[in-house]
Amino acid sequence: LEKQIERDGVKSIYKALRRSQRTLQEHKDKLPNLKYKSQVEGTIRNVEKQIQTIEKFIKEKGL
Amino acid sequence: MNWLKIGKYLNREVYICEIESLANYQYSQSLTLSSILICFGDSKNNKIEDLQQLINISPVCINLAGERSETYFDLMLDILSRQTKGKHIMTSICREPEVSEWIFDFFSVNFPSEDRFDEWKSYHVFVIGSHSFYDNIFSEINKIMTK
Protein backbone atom coordinates (compact mmCIF):
# COMPACT_ATOMS: atom_id res chain seq x y z
CA LEU A 1 0.00 0.00 0.00
CA GLU A 2 2.92 2.32 0.73
CA LYS A 3 4.28 1.65 -2.75
CA GLN A 4 0.84 2.10 -4.27
CA ILE A 5 0.51 5.56 -2.72
CA GLU A 6 3.92 6.51 -4.10
CA ARG A 7 3.00 5.34 -7.58
CA ASP A 8 -0.70 6.15 -7.87
CA GLY A 9 -1.61 8.51 -5.04
CA VAL A 10 -4.08 8.40 -2.15
CA LYS A 11 -7.14 8.19 -4.40
CA SER A 12 -5.97 4.81 -5.64
CA ILE A 13 -6.11 3.43 -2.08
CA TYR A 14 -9.77 4.41 -1.73
CA LYS A 15 -10.48 3.04 -5.20
CA ALA A 16 -8.84 -0.26 -4.26
CA LEU A 17 -10.95 -0.34 -1.09
CA ARG A 18 -14.20 0.16 -3.04
CA ARG A 19 -13.23 -2.47 -5.60
CA SER A 20 -12.31 -4.95 -2.86
CA GLN A 21 -15.69 -4.36 -1.20
CA ARG A 22 -17.34 -5.03 -4.55
CA THR A 23 -15.34 -8.24 -5.02
CA LEU A 24 -16.43 -9.34 -1.56
CA GLN A 25 -20.10 -8.74 -2.36
CA GLU A 26 -19.83 -10.50 -5.73
CA HIS A 27 -18.54 -13.65 -4.08
CA LYS A 28 -21.12 -13.48 -1.29
CA ASP A 29 -23.85 -13.21 -3.92
CA LYS A 30 -22.63 -16.39 -5.62
CA LEU A 31 -22.51 -18.50 -2.44
CA PRO A 32 -26.18 -19.59 -2.30
CA ASN A 33 -25.95 -21.09 -5.79
CA LEU A 34 -22.94 -23.29 -5.03
CA LYS A 35 -23.30 -26.83 -3.76
CA TYR A 36 -19.85 -26.83 -2.20
CA LYS A 37 -18.87 -23.49 -0.78
CA SER A 38 -15.40 -23.89 0.74
CA GLN A 39 -13.43 -22.37 -2.16
CA VAL A 40 -15.56 -19.23 -2.36
CA GLU A 41 -15.74 -18.98 1.43
CA GLY A 42 -11.92 -19.01 1.43
CA THR A 43 -11.88 -16.19 -1.08
CA ILE A 44 -14.38 -14.23 1.02
CA ARG A 45 -12.22 -14.60 4.13
CA ASN A 46 -9.14 -13.40 2.25
CA VAL A 47 -10.89 -10.40 0.70
CA GLU A 48 -12.29 -9.46 4.13
CA LYS A 49 -8.73 -9.48 5.49
CA GLN A 50 -7.54 -7.35 2.57
CA ILE A 51 -10.30 -4.84 3.24
CA GLN A 52 -9.39 -4.72 6.93
CA THR A 53 -5.75 -4.13 5.99
CA ILE A 54 -6.64 -1.22 3.69
CA GLU A 55 -9.02 0.31 6.26
CA LYS A 56 -6.36 0.04 8.97
CA PHE A 57 -3.78 1.60 6.65
CA ILE A 58 -6.11 4.52 5.85
CA LYS A 59 -6.78 5.08 9.56
CA GLU A 60 -3.13 4.86 10.63
CA LYS A 61 -1.96 7.17 7.86
CA GLY A 62 -4.79 9.62 8.46
CA LEU A 63 -5.74 9.54 4.78
CA MET B 1 2.87 -19.75 -27.37
CA ASN B 2 5.47 -17.11 -26.67
CA TRP B 3 5.03 -14.84 -23.71
CA LEU B 4 6.26 -11.29 -24.07
CA LYS B 5 7.91 -9.94 -20.96
CA ILE B 6 6.79 -6.34 -20.53
CA GLY B 7 8.73 -5.51 -17.41
CA LYS B 8 8.33 -5.70 -13.67
CA TYR B 9 5.65 -4.40 -11.35
CA LEU B 10 6.68 -4.23 -7.69
CA ASN B 11 9.47 -6.77 -8.31
CA ARG B 12 7.28 -9.30 -10.08
CA GLU B 13 7.69 -10.00 -13.78
CA VAL B 14 4.78 -9.13 -16.06
CA TYR B 15 4.07 -11.18 -19.18
CA ILE B 16 1.45 -10.89 -21.91
CA CYS B 17 0.38 -13.12 -24.75
CA GLU B 18 -2.13 -12.84 -27.55
CA ILE B 19 -4.14 -15.96 -28.31
CA GLU B 20 -7.17 -16.76 -30.43
CA SER B 21 -8.70 -19.12 -27.94
CA LEU B 22 -7.99 -20.99 -24.73
CA ALA B 23 -8.86 -24.19 -26.58
CA ASN B 24 -5.91 -26.58 -26.67
CA TYR B 25 -3.65 -24.07 -24.93
CA GLN B 26 -0.70 -25.86 -23.29
CA TYR B 27 -0.36 -24.34 -19.85
CA SER B 28 3.10 -24.12 -18.32
CA GLN B 29 3.58 -25.13 -14.69
CA SER B 30 5.23 -21.75 -14.11
CA LEU B 31 1.73 -20.27 -14.15
CA THR B 32 1.21 -21.86 -10.72
CA LEU B 33 3.25 -18.99 -9.27
CA SER B 34 1.42 -16.32 -11.18
CA SER B 35 -1.58 -14.04 -10.93
CA ILE B 36 -3.52 -14.45 -14.17
CA LEU B 37 -5.69 -11.94 -16.00
CA ILE B 38 -7.80 -13.19 -18.90
CA CYS B 39 -9.06 -10.37 -21.12
CA PHE B 40 -11.92 -11.54 -23.31
CA GLY B 41 -12.33 -9.62 -26.52
CA ASP B 42 -14.25 -10.64 -29.59
CA SER B 43 -13.10 -14.26 -29.94
CA LYS B 44 -15.84 -16.77 -30.72
CA ASN B 45 -13.94 -19.97 -30.05
CA ASN B 46 -13.65 -20.33 -26.29
CA LYS B 47 -14.91 -23.40 -24.50
CA ILE B 48 -15.36 -23.42 -20.76
CA GLU B 49 -13.54 -26.71 -20.29
CA ASP B 50 -10.36 -24.83 -21.05
CA LEU B 51 -10.74 -22.94 -17.79
CA GLN B 52 -10.64 -26.31 -16.07
CA GLN B 53 -7.13 -26.84 -17.45
CA LEU B 54 -6.01 -23.49 -16.10
CA ILE B 55 -7.58 -24.23 -12.72
CA ASN B 56 -5.72 -27.55 -12.63
CA ILE B 57 -2.45 -25.57 -12.75
CA SER B 58 -3.56 -23.69 -9.59
CA PRO B 59 -2.36 -20.15 -10.27
CA VAL B 60 -2.46 -17.90 -7.22
CA CYS B 61 -5.22 -15.74 -8.77
CA ILE B 62 -7.49 -15.89 -11.79
CA ASN B 63 -9.00 -12.56 -12.76
CA LEU B 64 -11.50 -12.11 -15.59
CA ALA B 65 -12.49 -9.08 -17.64
CA GLY B 66 -14.20 -8.27 -20.89
CA GLU B 67 -16.91 -9.81 -23.01
CA ARG B 68 -18.57 -12.93 -21.61
CA SER B 69 -16.51 -12.69 -18.42
CA GLU B 70 -19.71 -12.83 -16.33
CA THR B 71 -20.52 -16.24 -17.80
CA TYR B 72 -16.98 -17.42 -17.31
CA PHE B 73 -16.93 -16.13 -13.74
CA ASP B 74 -19.97 -18.23 -12.84
CA LEU B 75 -18.52 -21.29 -14.51
CA MET B 76 -15.13 -20.78 -12.88
CA LEU B 77 -16.69 -20.60 -9.41
CA ASP B 78 -18.74 -23.70 -10.21
CA ILE B 79 -15.61 -25.64 -11.21
CA LEU B 80 -13.71 -24.43 -8.16
CA SER B 81 -16.56 -25.21 -5.80
CA ARG B 82 -16.41 -28.86 -6.84
CA GLN B 83 -12.69 -29.07 -6.00
CA THR B 84 -12.16 -30.21 -2.46
CA LYS B 85 -8.38 -30.48 -2.66
CA GLY B 86 -5.60 -28.29 -3.95
CA LYS B 87 -4.23 -24.85 -3.35
CA HIS B 88 -6.55 -21.91 -2.92
CA ILE B 89 -7.08 -19.80 -6.03
CA MET B 90 -8.30 -16.24 -5.53
CA THR B 91 -10.88 -15.16 -8.11
CA SER B 92 -12.26 -11.89 -9.37
CA ILE B 93 -14.16 -10.27 -12.19
CA CYS B 94 -13.84 -6.69 -13.39
CA ARG B 95 -17.10 -5.42 -14.88
CA GLU B 96 -15.84 -1.95 -15.69
CA PRO B 97 -16.03 -1.16 -19.42
CA GLU B 98 -12.66 0.60 -19.57
CA VAL B 99 -9.54 -1.48 -20.12
CA SER B 100 -7.59 0.89 -17.86
CA GLU B 101 -9.84 -0.22 -14.97
CA TRP B 102 -9.17 -3.90 -15.68
CA ILE B 103 -5.48 -3.19 -15.41
CA PHE B 104 -5.92 -1.17 -12.22
CA ASP B 105 -7.84 -3.99 -10.59
CA PHE B 106 -5.30 -6.55 -11.72
CA PHE B 107 -2.31 -4.74 -10.26
CA SER B 108 -3.81 -2.81 -7.35
CA VAL B 109 -6.84 -4.68 -6.04
CA ASN B 110 -6.59 -8.43 -6.56
CA PHE B 111 -4.07 -10.39 -4.52
CA PRO B 112 -3.34 -14.05 -3.70
CA SER B 113 -4.60 -15.63 -0.51
CA GLU B 114 -2.45 -15.14 2.58
CA ASP B 115 -1.15 -18.70 2.56
CA ARG B 116 0.12 -18.36 -1.02
CA PHE B 117 1.45 -14.82 -0.97
CA ASP B 118 5.09 -15.87 -0.63
CA GLU B 119 4.99 -18.19 -3.64
CA TRP B 120 3.65 -15.43 -5.90
CA LYS B 121 6.32 -14.55 -8.51
CA SER B 122 4.70 -13.06 -11.60
CA TYR B 123 1.77 -11.65 -13.53
CA HIS B 124 0.51 -13.23 -16.76
CA VAL B 125 -2.07 -11.61 -19.04
CA PHE B 126 -3.94 -13.65 -21.66
CA VAL B 127 -5.51 -11.51 -24.36
CA ILE B 128 -8.17 -13.30 -26.41
CA GLY B 129 -9.41 -11.29 -29.35
CA SER B 130 -8.30 -9.04 -32.15
CA HIS B 131 -4.83 -7.56 -32.47
CA SER B 132 -6.16 -4.04 -31.86
CA PHE B 133 -7.69 -5.32 -28.61
CA TYR B 134 -4.29 -6.73 -27.67
CA ASP B 135 -2.62 -3.40 -28.51
CA ASN B 136 -5.05 -1.62 -26.22
CA ILE B 137 -4.31 -3.96 -23.28
CA PHE B 138 -0.58 -3.79 -23.93
CA SER B 139 -0.68 0.00 -23.98
CA GLU B 140 -2.53 0.22 -20.66
CA ILE B 141 -0.11 -2.16 -18.96
CA ASN B 142 2.81 -0.21 -20.36
CA LYS B 143 1.45 2.95 -18.76
CA ILE B 144 1.66 1.29 -15.37
CA MET B 145 5.12 -0.15 -16.08
CA THR B 146 6.53 3.23 -17.01
CA LYS B 147 5.05 5.22 -14.11
Side-chain angles (χ1 to χ4, degrees), chain A residues 47-61:
Chain A
V47 177
E48 284 175 338
K49 283 180 189 172
Q50 287 169 11
I51 289 170
Q52 287 167 9
T53 300
I54 297 172
E55 288 175 335
K56 187 180 174 193
F57 180 80
I58 288 171
K59 191 175 180 182
E60 286 178 354
K61 293 287 178 182

Side-chain angles (χ1 to χ4, degrees), chain A residues 7 19 26-27 30 39, chain B residues 74 89 95 101 105 144:
Chain A
R7 290 179 66 110
R19 293 289 174 80
E26 284 163 349
H27 284 79
K30 299 295 181 188
Q39 156 69 30
Chain B
D74 285 345
I89 302 171
R95 294 187 175 86
E101 299 300 319
D105 277 14
I144 284 194

Side-chain angles (χ1 to χ4, degrees), chain A residues 2-43:
Chain A
E2 294 277 7
K3 289 175 183 173
Q4 191 174 326
I5 280 191
E6 285 175 23
R7 290 179 66 110
D8 303 318
V10 173
K11 280 185 179 177
S12 76
I13 301 295
Y14 280 95
K15 190 172 170 182
L17 177 61
R18 289 194 302 274
R19 293 289 174 80
S20 296
Q21 289 165 336
R22 187 190 300 177
T23 298
L24 176 64
Q25 192 57 51
E26 284 163 349
H27 284 79
K28 283 184 173 177
D29 290 344
K30 299 295 181 188
L31 261 186
N33 302 324
L34 299 172
K35 187 174 180 182
Y36 305 104
K37 305 179 193 300
S38 62
Q39 156 69 30
V40 173
E41 286 172 339
T43 296

